Amino acid sequence: MTPPDADADTGDLQLPDDRIGAALQRIRRRIETAASEAGRDPAEVTLVAVSKTHPASAIAAAVGAGQIVFGENRVQEAQAKFPQLRAARMEAGAPGPVLHLIGPLQTNKALEAVRLADVIETLDRPRLADAIDQAAQKAGRLPDLLVQVNIGSEPQKAGIALEDADRFIETCRQRFGSVLTGLMAIPPADVDPQPFFHRLAAMAAAHGLAGISMGMSGDFEQAIACGATSVRIGTAIFGGRPAPVAPDAGTLLASASD
């Protein structure tokens, strides 16, 4: 079964580009309020704007409104958008955009991911760790990495199993050192997410990892109260997404064999 997307929100139709800036302002105010109510500095929380399936023009509108960090699920889609956006920003003498890959990553896409991403949030199995390590040697660079934990023990979701998580995290720390910066998780839907958020935060603390990526459009304020250092928000910024195109048989086979 294909794992769910990392920001599987639903919502209204995609917002026009001229409304994205206002949506970002609303989200930033909510982040500031949630952090303040939790006794935290809002600057501790990074907003990852999930731009998957949205056009480059929407990302450009968000960048124009001051947003720098973005999340994409698929390497191919990110390759079609971010090099051009980065080139335009470089010509203007401005930083970014910063790219987080937040979707399940196949081992045969590791080299492209390592070359393109600033952060890979979905390191979740030994074979992928091997592929990323080999890709980094070829590319001469290694993005920051987060281990994705299947915090709700859901068979349809990606992430290292809870019973294997501590050993896998420690192995990755030994292998990648300070490049392994934190943990990521998606709690089960339609239940109180806070126990799962607390569990991920406790796991990160136990391993001495500062980064905690959790919370999406529907629950990011609760995630911040539980210690999130980055929140992945798509629908509340960009609006709803087009229905995804069904994968072809070759894609399904590749996924099943990974």
Side-chain angles (χ1 to χ4, degrees):
M1 182 178 293
T2 302
D5 292 336
D7 185 9
D9 305 310
T10 59
D12 298 328
L13 295 176
Q14 179 177 299
L15 291 180
D17 293 350
D18 61 359
R19 291 177 56 194
I20 288 172
L24 274 166
Q25 288 183 357
R26 290 192 294 270
I27 292 299
R28 290 172 184 145
R29 286 195 296 268
R30 289 173 62 185
I31 289 173
E32 290 174 1
T33 298
S36 297
E37 289 179 349
R40 301 180 59 196
D41 182 352
E44 296 175 357
V45 183
T46 297
L47 170 58
V48 180
V50 179
S51 51
K52 65 180 188 183
T53 77
H54 293 289
S57 63
I59 302 171
V63 170
Q67 179 63 27
I68 296 298
V69 184
F70 295 86
E72 291 279 339
N73 266 39
R74 296 173 177 83
V75 176
Q76 300 96 313
E77 183 181 348
Q79 284 175 322
K81 295 187 287 191
F82 279 82
Q84 296 89 334
L85 289 163
R86 285 170 168 165
R89 295 284 289 176
M90 186 176 296
E91 288 181 6
V98 174
L99 174 62
H100 289 224
L101 288 178
I102 61 172
L105 180 61
Q106 294 181 17
T107 55
N108 63 0
K109 298 296 181 184
L111 182 57
E112 292 94 330
V114 164
R115 286 173 170 162
L116 182 65
D118 299 290
V119 182
I120 296 173
E121 295 200 13
T122 51
L123 173 56
D124 65 353
R125 59 199 186 280
R127 283 193 63 200
L128 183 57
D130 291 343
I132 288 174
D133 195 358
Q134 294 166 11
Q137 295 177 41
K138 291 180 181 178
R141 72 183 301 269
L142 180 59
D144 284 346
L145 302 171
L146 279 71
V147 168
Q148 181 177 358
V149 180
N150 189 344
I151 202 69
S153 300
E154 297 176 276
Q156 79 278 16
K157 282 187 179 176
I160 188 73
L162 276 174
E163 61 268 25
D164 300 325
D166 287 327
R167 182 172 63 253
F168 182 66
I169 292 165
E170 187 55 36
T171 299
C172 288
R173 288 201 70 185
Q174 294 173 4
R175 185 172 201 171
F176 297 113
S178 61
V179 171
L180 185 74
T181 61
L183 306 180
M184 183 269 253
I186 308 164
D190 302 322
V191 298
D192 181 3
Q194 291 188 86
F196 302 97
F197 290 155
H198 282 303
R199 185 167 193 174
L200 189 73
M203 187 178 294
H207 287 277
L209 296 170
I212 307 170
S213 175
M214 58 187 187
M216 301 185 291
S217 291
D219 58 15
F220 69 89
E221 286 146 321
Q222 292 168 287
I224 290 169
C226 296
T229 61
S230 65
V231 292
R232 307 179 305 273
I233 302 177
T235 302
I237 296 171
F238 297 105
R241 303 184 182 93
V245 176
D248 60 26
T251 300
L252 289 171
L253 287 171
S255 178
S257 64
D258 188 21

